[in-house]
Amino acid sequence: MDFSNLKEEDAKQLLMQYDAQQRQLFFQLQQVQSAIGQLHAVLNGDQAVELNGAPQVQPVNSAFIPVGYMYNGERVVTQAPAEQPRKRPYTRNSPWPKFILSKLEEGQKTLSSREIYELGIKANVEEDMGFPDAGEVRRLISRALHRLSNQEKKISKFPLREGQGKGYNYALPNWLDKKGNLPDKYKSEDF
């Protein structure tokens, strides 16, 4: 195999997988050697004797051994690379869920995901909300929409009409009638 064009992270991951396979094979080999020794001892009539003549295979030391892995029953302790803390852009203090709910209440009409993205990007620029670019705003709004509709059930979603693209129309749950249908007075022109 040609590994010359692998990135460092990919090479480390692949090496870790091969190390794990190697450890499994060594463990299986030790189990088989032990079973062979016990069977020879039973055949020879001496139960205390184990096969010591078989060559013991030792693992090859690898350049990268994950922290806490076992080699031949002994714990190998290595230094793990320091991980950078992950930024969690969607926090409980995110302004986007409140923003989405307020825009729905203000307009008293359904909004498509595209319209919510556009309103959010516009608000980020005009109100100087501090988000670096439109792509970040779009990702955070998408997370907020998912959380509000699927997890918290604070908004209801309806698929876009065929030919309008991907996404949903969003409405407040108190707008729905008892059957779960949306009355015409809340429907936007695109609904």
Side-chain angles (χ1 to χ4, degrees):
M1 286 188 211
D2 182 26
F3 300 118
S4 60
N5 53 352
L6 282 178
K7 294 180 182 175
E8 183 180 345
E9 289 296 317
D10 294 335
K12 283 182 180 179
Q13 185 176 9
L14 192 58
L15 185 58
M16 216 164 66
Q17 289 174 349
Y18 282 140
D19 282 343
Q21 287 177 352
Q22 184 183 31
R23 282 189 299 278
Q24 286 177 336
L25 291 172
F26 283 122
F27 178 76
Q28 289 174 352
L29 180 62
Q30 288 174 345
Q31 296 297 319
V32 169
Q33 286 175 340
S34 175
I36 289 172
Q38 290 174 5
L39 289 171
H40 277 294
V42 168
L43 289 175
N44 293 335
D46 185 14
Q47 295 184 3
V49 178
E50 284 198 26
L51 181 66
N52 292 327
Q56 294 292 319
V57 179
Q58 296 296 320
V60 178
N61 287 336
S62 164
F64 179 79
I65 301 171
V67 175
Y69 276 84
M70 306 291 275
Y71 265 14
N72 286 344
E74 296 179 19
R75 186 176 174 92
V76 176
V77 179
T78 62
Q79 291 289 331
E83 292 184 18
Q84 297 295 325
R86 291 183 69 198
K87 292 182 180 177
R88 305 194 95 201
Y90 184 88
T91 62
R92 293 177 192 255
N93 298 328
S94 174
W96 299 114
K98 289 180 185 174
F99 174 82
I100 293 166
L101 291 172
S102 69
K103 291 299 177 187
L104 285 170
E105 288 176 8
E106 281 176 21
Q108 290 292 308
K109 295 278 185 195
T110 60
L111 291 173
S112 68
S113 46
R114 180 182 43 83
E115 292 169 329
I116 294 172
Y117 296 143
E118 289 171 359
L119 289 170
I121 292 168
K122 183 178 176 184
N124 183 44
V125 172
E126 290 176 356
E127 298 173 19
D128 194 27
M129 296 175 82
F131 294 98
D133 61 359
E136 183 69 15
V137 170
R138 187 178 170 95
R139 281 189 296 277
L140 294 174
I141 289 175
S142 178
R143 288 182 186 177
L145 287 170
H146 174 77
R147 187 178 192 120
L148 287 171
S149 63
N150 296 339
Q151 295 173 352
E152 296 176 4
K153 306 290 187 200
K154 291 185 178 178
I155 58 176
S156 299
K157 63 182 180 180
F158 301 92
L160 292 175
R161 278 187 298 168
E162 193 172 324
Q164 286 188 323
K166 293 182 180 181
Y168 293 93
N169 282 310
Y170 294 93
L172 294 175
N174 59 357
W175 294 350
L176 305 178
D177 61 15
K178 292 180 181 181
K179 294 181 180 179
N181 297 323
L182 188 67
D184 289 337
K185 69 178 186 176
Y186 296 114
K187 292 181 181 178
S188 64
E189 296 169 7
D190 296 340
F191 191 83

